[in-house]
């Protein structure tokens, strides 16, 4: 039995507007990125830098166009996938108000 982390994808942006590039869908659970397990707080144990947010790996160890491997739980099944990072739309970061 798999111990599920608390990091689940609640919303999936369209493929052309997110760095997830269609590799994650709503209700997927991200289990690992770049071979590093993602814990229930969204952190990975980096061999050199210690405990980091998994998003740090994407922002600081990869560039737009890089291929990133992930492991996810989808519909009760553990799956591996790869995604090509793309830049996000600036509108993703606007706060309505």
């Amino acid at each position: 039995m798999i111990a599920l982390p608390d990091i689940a994808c609640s919303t999936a942006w369209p493929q052309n507007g997110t760095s997830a590039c269609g590799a994650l869908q709503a209700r997927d659970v991200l289990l690992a990125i770049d071979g590093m397990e993602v814990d229930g707080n969204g952190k990975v144990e980096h061999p050199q830098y210690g405990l980091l947010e998994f998003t740090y790996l994407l922002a600081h160890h990869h560039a737009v166009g890089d291929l990133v491997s992930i492991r996810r739980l989808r519909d009760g099944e553990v799956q591996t996938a790869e995604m090509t990072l793309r830049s996000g739309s600036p509108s993703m970061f606007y706060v309505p108000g």
Side-chain angles (χ1 to χ4, degrees):
M1 183 171 195
I2 298 171
L4 296 179
D6 296 328
I7 302 303
C9 185
S10 63
T11 304
W13 287 289
Q15 183 170 342
N16 63 354
T18 180
S19 59
C21 298
L24 292 174
Q25 298 176 359
R27 294 182 301 281
D28 283 354
V29 177
L30 183 62
L31 301 173
I33 188 163
D34 278 349
M36 292 182 237
E37 299 294 316
V38 178
D39 73 10
N41 295 312
K43 297 185 186 302
V44 296
E45 185 68 39
H46 190 279
Q48 184 176 359
Y49 303 114
L51 207 55
L52 299 172
E53 296 286 336
F54 81 90
T55 55
Y56 181 90
L57 295 177
L58 298 177
H60 297 283
H61 289 279
H62 290 285
V64 172
D66 284 356
L67 194 64
V68 178
S69 63
I70 65 167
R71 196 169 77 247
R72 65 187 176 214
L73 182 69
R74 177 179 290 168
D75 298 325
E77 180 182 337
V78 175
Q79 304 172 343
T80 58
E82 292 185 328
M83 61 184 183
T84 302
L85 296 183
R86 297 185 184 156
S87 61
S89 166
S91 64
M92 289 172 43
F93 306 104
Y94 295 151
V95 176

